[in-house]
Amino acid sequence: MVEFIEGGITTPQGFKAAGVHSGVKYRSLDLGMLYSEVPATAFKAFTSNKVKAAPVQLMINDNSPKLSAVVVNSGNANALTGRRGYEDAETMQKAVAKELGIDPKTVGVMSTGLIGRFMDMHKVQYGISRAAKELDVGRNADGLLCESIMTTDTIKKECAARVRLQDGTLVYISAISKGSGMISPHLKALHGTTLTLITTDAVLTSEFSHEFQRTLDDSMNMVSVDGDQSTNDTCIMLANGLAGGKPADKDENFIEALRMVMTKIARTIAMDGEGATKLITVEVNGAKTKDDARLVVKTVINSPLVKSAIFGSDPNYGRVMMALGNSGAEFNLEEVHLVIKGGDLEVPILDSGAPVFQEERSVEVVRMAMDNKEVILQLDLGVGSESAVGWGCDLTYDYVRINAEYST
């Protein structure tokens, strides 16, 4: 049984964290570090955007199977910075390695912030030196690392859980993430930024990489705030094995725990979308293929018209059907069912492709359902048995304001 607990990134055995102010940002914490006391098996996934930031390029080129530390900065994405940016990412890697006495190839690098600005390496190296000295365990250290990676985020995104494996071993899984804009991840293993770190003291081998990708496909890759995939999206999972026991590669309890942790993180990212006031959950059933189900989810979530309607609690379900029709997925209009849920209300909208209601009073019930912090759209495509679920947020005036003023 999976149990969510009060905890953070250092909850699993053998992990330490720190977050400091290096000066890249004017006042806020802007540099964080995660350290494993023993080299950890690393599972990495990166943006599929062809314009990749320097840290992403470096990590792909290194592709080390083990990591001992990860350094992350906010305030500067180190993207579109050419050869100098790549060398700056290498310098960050080497600086951490020197401070901790480890191999530079076992240091991961992540960055987020403004694109097209060179790093101030004097400040970054100062921050790395401070962070290495302040590595610690516990909720304060967890919080400092969370805060150091935030940009337009308004809340810390962290989650911890414990689960007993089938061999009786008790293991912990924790995750932190940042992201509120430029978010539509398409993370691919071994290949708004959303930066995500996952720690576990379970024993895992390289065989788990396929399950790691499947977990991402059903969680982080089903989040979309604005449909724009970042140049810096990175997800790193470290498994240091200090809990002992057998490898958990195929342990159903561990797999379920990881999926639950990552789903919770994904929902939190969507809820904290830039300017968001509502969480949108789209559940698709009856699809012919898994790809079709995922495609419909992302198309509906990314539709500016759907997002605007939900922001205004406008019961214009035609926008949902418009998005379905534009998705390219196969469906049978005469068998399509649409339900809108919010709060305690569950309102059937379409039954076999025809409207369930016409009266103004019924329209008001739909409006009431949409006037909740979470609005759930349930679609049955009527052509198969595959399903998918994803999360997004409404499109508000504040989203435009935040992104119109981002660099200033």
Side-chain angles (χ1 to χ4, degrees), residues 53 64 155 220 252 288 294 348 394 397:
S64 173
I155 58 173
M220 299 299 291
E252 291 300 325
K288 189 170 184 179
R294 288 173 173 157
D394 54 347
Y397 308 121

Side-chain angles (χ1 to χ4, degrees), residues 136-205:
D136 203 356
V137 176
R139 297 300 288 132
N140 184 60
D142 296 338
L144 291 173
L145 179 54
C146 277
E147 187 178 340
S148 71
I149 66 177
M150 294 167 68
T151 51
T152 55
D153 306 69
T154 65
I155 58 173
K156 295 175 183 176
K157 301 172 177 70
E158 62 178 350
C159 180
R162 61 187 170 203
V163 63
R164 194 166 294 279
L165 304 184
Q166 293 171 349
D167 69 357
T169 305
L170 183 66
V171 303
Y172 291 83
I173 304 172
S174 296
I176 64 170
S177 190
K178 66 82 52 185
S180 57
M182 200 189 294
I183 292 179
S184 184
H186 191 60
L187 295 157
K188 287 298 178 185
L190 310 179
H191 278 270
T193 300
T194 57
L195 300 183
T196 304
L197 288 167
I198 310 163
T199 56
T200 182
D201 47 17
V203 176
L204 294 175
T205 75

